Amino acid sequence: QVQLVESGGGLVQPGGSLRLSCAASGSILSIYAMGWYRQAPGKQRELVAGITSGGTTTYTGSVKGRFTISRDNAKNTVYLQMNSLKPEDTAVYYCNADLRSWGSNIRDYWGQGTQVTVSP
């Protein structure tokens, strides 16, 4: 059984920083793309940042230059460093991973979500 466990959310003032972590565990054979999504109240879930197994990254326009996604393949962990946070970054942040586990084809998995609130 595969699990994605996120950590690092919380309350921060505008201009502050947070670092999210997401660790994948279980009977994992290979992890391919990993990413962070977010969902604000009343809005659809959106991709914030993604990273391939080779380290190629992509970002949604509103976070470019402020957020950095990275991964540690040895630890099956993906990170999201968020700097210069704005109130509009407030949302529940979800980790996603495309991976192959024992006895299963490639599919995507989701974490439980972690709340990020940016407020004075």
Side-chain angles (χ1 to χ4, degrees), residues 8-44:
L11 173 65
V12 65
Q13 292 186 342
S17 298
L18 283 175
R19 188 190 194 212
L20 306 182
S21 299
C22 171
S25 63
S27 54
I28 298 169
L29 289 174
S30 298
I31 301 179
Y32 304 98
M34 303 184 82
W36 290 95
Y37 289 71
R38 67 185 179 188
Q39 187 166 19
K43 295 188 177 181
Q44 288 189 334

Side-chain angles (χ1 to χ4, degrees), residues 38 43 46-49 58-67 83-86 88-90 93:
R38 67 185 179 188
K43 295 188 177 181
E46 64 170 349
L47 174 66
V48 176
T58 185
Y59 298 93
T60 191
S62 61
V63 308
K64 283 182 180 178
R66 300 189 298 123
F67 292 9
N83 298 328
S84 302
L85 282 160
K86 304 175 181 180
E88 51 264 43
D89 295 317
T90 296
Y93 283 70

